[in-house]
Amino acid sequence: MATEPLRTLFCIGNNQNFFDLPKADIGPVWVGISTMLSTLKNMDGVDIIGTFDDDSHMVGPSDSWPWTCYVLADVRDQPTVKEACNLLRTTMIGEYALWKYFKIEARMGRELVIRDDVAL
């Protein structure tokens, strides 16, 4: 019997270290987060459903909700979700890991099915 994937919302936020950077030093961090997101997209067991970026209407660090951006995906299992979150530890920007500038939280559940055969 096949197991249903975990519907997972990856919540990503910039932290204060990102905003403390001189403007000229931000480019490598954008390359780092782009690399991390591309790696996430190409991971075995991860099927990206959609993304949402709130950077136009939220400026400053994401201390908690609301986050800066979101990635909604179906993920094979919890170890794969853990591996995806670990990308912030393994994606390097010079001598620093990406988690110096961003944080991630994964919310896992099941797909919410809105049924057509139920009416109130």
Side-chain angles (χ1 to χ4, degrees):
M1 185 166 151
T3 306
E4 292 295 316
L6 293 170
R7 182 61 49 99
T8 305
L9 182 63
F10 294 99
C11 309
I12 302 169
N14 303 50
N15 65 37
Q16 188 61 49
N17 289 331
F18 176 81
F19 292 98
D20 289 341
L21 284 171
K23 197 139 183 120
D25 294 343
I26 290 175
V29 177
W30 284 125
V31 170
I33 191 70
S34 295
T35 298
M36 177 266 181
L37 291 170
S38 293
T39 303
L40 175 65
K41 178 182 175 187
N42 294 315
M43 283 180 67
D44 183 43
V46 176
D47 181 25
I48 304 263
I49 298 167
T51 60
F52 182 91
D53 194 350
D54 198 20
D55 68 335
S56 293
H57 300 99
M58 181 189 168
V59 179
S62 301
D63 297 322
S64 64
W65 187 92
W67 299 82
T68 307
C69 63
Y70 304 84
V71 176
L72 181 63
D74 279 335
V75 182
R76 177 179 46 226
D77 52 24
Q78 187 279 330
T80 305
V81 173
K82 181 179 176 181
E83 182 183 346
C85 290
N86 197 49
L87 292 172
L88 264 72
R89 292 184 184 99
T90 59
T91 304
M92 299 301 292
I93 300 151
E95 63 185 87
Y96 298 107
L98 191 58
W99 69 346
K100 179 176 173 110
Y101 305 104
F102 291 90
K103 62 184 187 174
I104 190 168
E105 179 179 314
R107 307 295 305 163
M108 297 175 286
R110 60 182 173 86
E111 178 182 8
L112 173 64
V113 177
I114 302 170
R115 296 175 45 174
D116 293 328
D117 63 335
V118 177
L120 299 176

